[in-house]
Structures are given as structure tokens and as C-alpha cells.
Amino acid sequence: MILIPLFFTRKVIDKVSGKPFVAIVGRPNVGKSTLFNRIIGKRKAIDEKEAGVTRDRLYEVGEWLGKEFILIDTGGLTFSTQGLSREVQKQAEIAIQEADVIVFLVDGKVGINPLDEEVARKLRTTQKTTIIAVNKMDAKEASINDFFTLGFDNLIPISAAQGTNIGDLLDKIVEHLPEPSSQEEVQGARKIAIVGRPNAGKSSLVNKMLGQERVIVHHIPGTTRDAVNVSFSFNNLPYTLVDTAGIRKRKNIDSSLEYYSILRSFKAIEEAHVCLLLIDATEGIKEQDKKIAGYIDKAGKALIIIFNKWDLITDREVKRKELLDQANSELKFANYA
């Protein structure tokens, strides 16, 4: 095993297949991820009752009446300027800018919330086609009437959980979709999963490789919760980077939300062609790093081991030898890496 520097140049694919974008936006806990999963027909986004589960924006292909589009799930808009909430807001705003059609999701059970009015004001400034989907209309106390005051013409009552009127919503979405561009479909993209313990710097690496703030970076361990796919090209070949949630020891997993996040990380390894195992150089190889490397090895995936945070190392020659010796000893089962 040898230590080599990793260099990467990049070009992000903005519209991967020429398909139009549809963004689901709204305040926290109105059911955006549930609707996202309902439309794409699988449980990709984590949908929990806890507010603020979705942080980065997620992309998936949706299809209705023979028309395909890229559906975007976003974090809840709170208009906070503090910490992590500000980063979630930034990701949602990027999705709004990208979108050709916006689905503004509100909670019919609760009624209009001041945050709904804030979101409505923001969306009116975009002059983009906006459809208000009034969710949770299966509840007895639900009402649609108040939402007409938000100032949008397209308003549809739905239940994302029950699937009520989802077809009507999709009819309205495809009615307003622009024709897809002639850009050639990207097929056979190689998947690169970036994995490791929490706070190893996985999301920072994704952003550096892509040259943009594509995923949220924060000092709080566990910021990434969903596995986030990002398509790009390198030397005219298509690739997909997968940023994953940090994998902690099983005994340290303290919620069902984190459990599902980690399951998605393991699934990303299974689906990847290449795995980048990110290890904190200031801490060296820990037992959990060995377990993650072992999982990648058993899955039969190509493996690149990356020691991150090299800028924090003072005596680099000594540390380089120390890490190399440790890798040859602790990760000898993966001496091909």
C-alpha cells in the first residue's frame, strides 16, 4: 500500500439528461419527503415526523404520462440566518433557482402558518409556475380554503401518505413542463461512493471535487443524513458522486433516523463501482474505519483510502510514515487499495 496525492478536475452536469426540473418546497414537516417518495415510487428520501430531516437537496427521475422530469426534494424553509438552518435554506434556494415547475407543499390539517406566507412571498418573486399542493387532506380537520389567499392559481388537495389526488397533481405538473432539451441521455455513469465515520470531511471533499457548494458542510457530526447523488463528467465520461451519512458504531446509533441514514450508506457501497474511504489523518485509523473498509472489501468494490485534514498535520513526513505503517498493519486485508 502506498500513499499518493489525489488530484481531480471536474465539470458538473447541470441538466444531466436534458429533463426539466420540478422542486418540492415548503416549510419544515409538511410532508415533502413523503410526497417525493410517492412520486418516484420508492423510499429514497427519509420521511420522519421529526422536522428538519431533509437537509441537502435530493434528485430522482420522475415520470408521468410518458414525460420524464427530475424531481428535487428540499429541506424545510425557515428563513433562519443561523448555523445549519442557513445552509439548509441555501440548498432549498438553489433548488428553486434550478426548477422549471415548483410544487409548494402546505399542511391542510394545520392551516396557514406564517412561514407559509414567507415561502409564498419568495416564490411569487421567481415568476415560475407554482402549484400549491395542500397535503394531509385525509385528516378530518383539514381545509383547503385558506390557502387561496397565498396568491397562486394552481391549488390541489392531496394526501402524500395515502396517495390521494397524486395523479391530479402530476397532471398539473406535466401540463406546465417545458419540452426536454436535446442534450444526450447520460447512461452507464460510474458511481463513486464517499464513505467514512462522521465528521471525516466527506461533504467537504464532494464540494471541492465539484467546485461548488453542492452539499451542506457543517462542524456538527451527522449533518449529512441522506445519500446524496451528484452527476458530473470527467474527460467527457459520466460519473455519479454519492455523499453518504457518517457510519458510527452500532451501539452509538441513537435514533431510527440515523439507523436508516446508515443503511443508505451501506446501500451506496453496494451500488458503487469505486468507494473512497475518508479517514481523519489527525486521528489515524480507528476500529470503525477498519469495519467500513472490511464491508467494502466483502462487497468486492474498488477502494481508495484517503487521509483527510492533512492541513492540520505539522510534521508531515513523520505522519506519512506512521499512517502508511498503520494502514499496512490494520488494513492488510485491503493491501490492493
Side-chain angles (χ1 to χ4, degrees):
M1 186 177 294
I2 59 173
L3 290 181
I4 59 173
L6 182 68
F7 297 99
F8 215 99
T9 58
R10 65 275 176 185
K11 174 189 171 188
V12 179
I13 300 176
D14 294 320
K15 294 218 172 185
V16 174
S17 55
K19 298 180 180 71
F21 283 130
V22 178
I24 302 173
V25 303
R27 64 178 176 82
N29 213 27
V30 293
K32 294 183 295 299
S33 293
T34 303
L35 179 59
F36 179 85
N37 290 338
R38 173 68 64 179
I39 291 176
I40 67 174
K42 57 185 177 181
R43 197 173 187 266
K44 178 176 180 180
I46 301 174
D47 48 351
E48 292 273 338
K49 292 181 179 180
E50 176 188 342
V53 169
T54 301
R55 291 173 173 177
D56 292 299
R57 58 195 195 277
L58 301 180
Y59 294 77
E60 188 62 62
V61 176
E63 184 272 333
W64 187 250
L65 300 179
K67 291 188 176 182
E68 290 190 334
F69 51 89
I70 306 296
L71 190 65
I72 313 174
D73 186 24
T74 66
L77 286 164
T78 62
F79 301 95
S80 171
T81 59
Q82 302 299 316
L84 188 56
S85 294
R86 180 184 60 187
E87 298 303 320
V88 174
Q89 168 105 359
K90 185 188 300 182
Q91 293 294 315
E93 289 177 348
I94 292 172
I96 291 170
Q97 292 170 10
E98 291 177 325
D100 297 289
V101 173
I102 298 169
V103 177
F104 175 17
L105 198 63
V106 294
D107 188 332
K109 181 179 178 181
V110 172
I112 288 184
N113 179 286
L115 277 176
D116 294 326
E117 295 173 337
E118 284 287 324
V119 176
R121 277 193 287 273
K122 181 169 188 61
L123 294 181
R124 283 196 296 269
T125 65
T126 68
Q127 298 184 331
K128 294 186 176 183
T129 298
T130 299
I131 303 164
I132 295 184
V134 185
N135 195 23
K136 307 181 185 179
M137 290 302 292
D138 49 315
K140 291 182 179 179
E141 59 269 52
S143 174
I144 194 173
N145 296 329
D146 291 346
F147 295 100
F148 284 102
T149 63
L150 294 176
F152 295 95
D153 296 331
N154 300 305
L155 195 147
I156 298 175
I158 68 166
S159 170
Q162 301 298 322
T164 306
N165 290 344
I166 300 301
D168 292 342
L169 174 60
L170 287 166
D171 284 344
K172 186 64 68 173
I173 289 173
V174 300
E175 176 187 332
H176 292 283
L177 289 179
E179 290 300 316
S181 73
S182 59
Q183 188 172 352
E184 192 172 316
E185 179 81 21
V186 175
Q187 296 179 339
R190 293 292 182 261
K191 283 193 173 182
I192 305 169
I194 300 181
V195 298
R197 292 185 290 121
N199 215 26
K202 298 180 292 298
S203 296
S204 294
L205 179 60
V206 170
N207 289 341
K208 287 294 183 183
M209 291 173 75
L210 296 174
Q212 61 166 261
E213 290 186 38
R214 175 57 186 81
V215 289
I216 294 172
V217 175
H218 202 273
H219 67 276
I220 299 174
T223 297
T224 300
R225 290 180 170 179
D226 279 300
V228 180
N229 292 12
V230 186
S231 296
F232 69 102
S233 64
F234 176 64
N235 289 343
N236 296 318
L237 294 175
Y239 295 88
T240 299
L241 275 181
V242 186
D243 185 23
T244 65
I247 302 173
R248 293 204 293 170
K249 293 180 181 178
R250 185 180 296 272
K251 67 179 183 179
N252 293 333
I253 298 172
D254 54 12
S255 69
S256 62
L257 172 58
E258 184 176 8
Y259 173 75
Y260 287 120
S261 297
I262 292 174
L263 282 183
R264 279 168 168 74
S265 298
F266 285 125
K267 185 171 184 286
I269 292 172
E270 295 286 352
E271 294 178 348
H273 297 92
V274 179
C275 294
L276 308 185
L277 173 57
L278 215 59
I279 297 174
D280 188 332
T282 65
E283 298 182 1
I285 300 172
K286 299 294 186 181
E287 185 64 28
Q288 186 66 0
D289 296 317
K290 291 169 58 178
K291 289 182 178 178
I292 297 170
Y295 189 91
I296 296 169
D297 180 64
K298 287 181 181 178
K301 304 301 177 178
L303 171 62
I304 297 174
I305 298 169
I306 302 174
F307 291 99
N308 192 29
K309 306 184 182 179
W310 200 242
D311 55 306
L312 302 180
I313 304 298
T314 51
D315 194 338
R316 295 181 179 179
E317 287 305 314
V318 172
K319 192 66 175 181
R320 181 185 295 271
K321 184 180 185 306
E322 177 187 316
L323 291 174
L324 182 58
D325 289 345
Q326 190 182 21
N328 286 327
S329 172
E330 301 294 331
L331 303 176
K332 56 187 176 183
F333 59 87
N335 58 7
Y336 56 85

